[in-house]
Amino acid sequence: MAEPTQGTVYPTVIADDLHIVYRVNGAKSGKGSATSALSRIVKRGEERGVRKVHAVRGVSFVAYKGEAIGLIGSNGSGKSTLLRAIAGLLPAESGKVYTHGQPSLLGVNAALMNDLTGERNVILGGLAMGMTREEVKARYQEIVDFSGINEKGDFITLPMRTYSSGMAARLRFSIAAAKDHDVLMIDEALATGDRKFQKRSEERIRELRKEAGTVFLVSHNNKSIRDTCNRVLWLERGELRMDGPTEEVLKEYEKFTGK
C-alpha cells in the first residue's frame, strides 16, 4: 500500500475487503433443456430470475488527506462502481467503507436539470453541495467563467437541454470544484472540453488537494492521470491489481495494455 504523501495527517477513505454485487432481474428462463432448467433450480442461495454480477472483489486501500488518486483499468473493471460505493450510493455485499466527512461524487451532488437554465442549475447545484445562497452568489461568476460555456455566447441563460454533453460536463465540474471537499470523486470529467479547460481542471484538482482532502479521478487518459495524480489504483475484473506511485503503476498498466 502506498505511503501517505508529505503533509497528510489522517485517512479520508478506508476500504476494507470490499465486495460489491449487482443483482440484475430478467435472467433467461423458460426455453432450454430440462438439464439446464434443473441446474438452475438446484443452485442453492440463488434467487430465481436474478443474475449476480460481482463488480468489486475484495478491494482494500487507505486514502489520505492531500492525495490525488487515479483509478485506472479496462472498461467494466469496477472503477465507477467503487466510486459509487465510496459515495454511499451502493451497499456493500461484504466488507466496509469508512469515510471522513461526506464524499462528493461529481454529477450526483451537482445534478443538473435539463429544463432549467444553466444559471438556475449553478444555484441549485451549489445548494445541493451544501453551499449557502451567499456562497453561491459570491462564486457564481467564477463558476461560469471557469466552465467556459459563455465563451461563444450567453449560454448560461439558456436551458440545459440546449447544451452539448461536453458543455454540461464542464458546468458540472465547475460547480463541484467551486467548493472544498473532504473527498471529491471525478468520473471522466477531464475527458471533456479542450486542452485549455483540462489544464484549468487539473490545476483546480491540485488546489483542492491542498485546501481540502482527497481527490479520486477515473480516467482513460493516462496523461491526465500523470499530470494530476500522485498515486494510482489499478482495477481489473473488480480486483485491485496494483496500488502505488503514479509512474510505477502506469508503467505496468501500459505494459498490460500494450499502449
Side-chain angles (χ1 to χ4, degrees):
M1 183 168 294
E3 293 295 322
T5 56
Q6 184 179 3
T8 59
V9 293
Y10 56 79
T12 54
V13 177
I14 300 173
D16 181 17
D17 193 25
L18 181 64
H19 292 259
I20 303 294
V21 175
Y22 290 108
R23 286 167 173 79
V24 183
N25 290 318
K28 292 182 179 178
S29 60
K31 293 183 180 181
S33 69
T35 302
S36 62
L38 180 60
S39 175
R40 290 196 299 271
I41 291 170
V42 299
K43 282 184 178 179
R44 290 183 298 177
E46 294 285 326
E47 300 96 330
R48 292 186 63 186
V50 175
R51 182 167 62 93
K52 292 184 178 181
V53 178
H54 203 155
V56 172
R57 301 172 179 266
V59 169
S60 297
F61 66 88
V62 179
Y64 295 89
K65 181 179 183 295
E67 289 190 307
I69 301 174
L71 268 66
I72 62 173
S74 307
N75 288 333
S77 61
K79 304 182 297 296
S80 296
T81 296
L82 179 59
L83 291 192
R84 290 175 63 81
I86 294 171
L89 300 174
L90 290 175
E93 182 78 4
S94 63
K96 296 285 186 180
V97 175
Y98 305 92
T99 62
H100 175 81
Q102 176 58 51
S104 299
L105 179 58
L106 181 60
V108 175
N109 295 67
L112 303 184
M113 303 180 69
N114 280 336
D115 288 334
L116 298 183
T117 64
E119 183 177 19
R120 286 293 297 163
N121 273 292
V122 169
I123 296 169
L124 294 177
L127 294 174
M129 289 192 304
M131 296 167 65
T132 65
R133 287 188 176 275
E134 290 72 23
E135 288 173 330
V136 175
K137 183 177 180 180
R139 301 184 187 184
Y140 172 81
Q141 195 58 49
E142 176 187 339
I143 292 170
V144 175
D145 292 344
F146 189 99
S147 72
I149 63 172
N150 263 8
E151 290 178 355
K152 297 183 179 180
D154 193 21
F155 283 97
I156 198 66
T157 62
L158 297 179
M160 284 289 303
R161 53 184 158 74
T162 66
Y163 290 15
S164 68
S165 58
M167 290 169 64
R170 295 200 305 275
L171 189 58
R172 283 191 185 93
F173 180 89
S174 302
I175 295 169
K179 181 179 183 292
D180 293 341
H181 302 265
D182 293 315
V183 179
L184 176 61
M185 296 172 289
I186 305 165
D187 196 343
E188 287 290 2
L190 302 189
T192 64
D194 56 20
R195 183 57 190 159
K196 184 168 65 173
F197 177 77
Q198 290 175 18
K199 286 180 70 67
R200 287 203 301 269
S201 302
E202 291 163 4
E203 179 58 34
R204 179 56 182 146
I205 289 174
R206 285 189 282 272
E207 291 174 2
L208 286 168
R209 285 174 56 193
K210 296 174 184 175
E211 298 169 4
T214 307
V215 177
F216 288 87
L217 173 64
V218 171
S219 179
H220 291 285
N221 185 333
N222 290 355
K223 187 177 187 307
S224 288
I225 296 288
R226 279 190 168 93
D227 290 345
T228 309
C229 302
N230 63 300
R231 175 181 171 190
V232 169
L233 305 180
W234 172 14
L235 295 176
E236 286 296 338
R237 298 184 178 181
E239 297 180 349
L240 183 57
R241 183 157 179 163
M242 191 172 179
D243 172 6
T246 297
E247 197 55 45
E248 290 182 19
V249 179
L250 283 180
K251 184 177 179 180
E252 293 303 313
Y253 180 65
E254 287 165 352
K255 286 181 185 176
F256 176 78
T257 60
K259 296 181 180 178

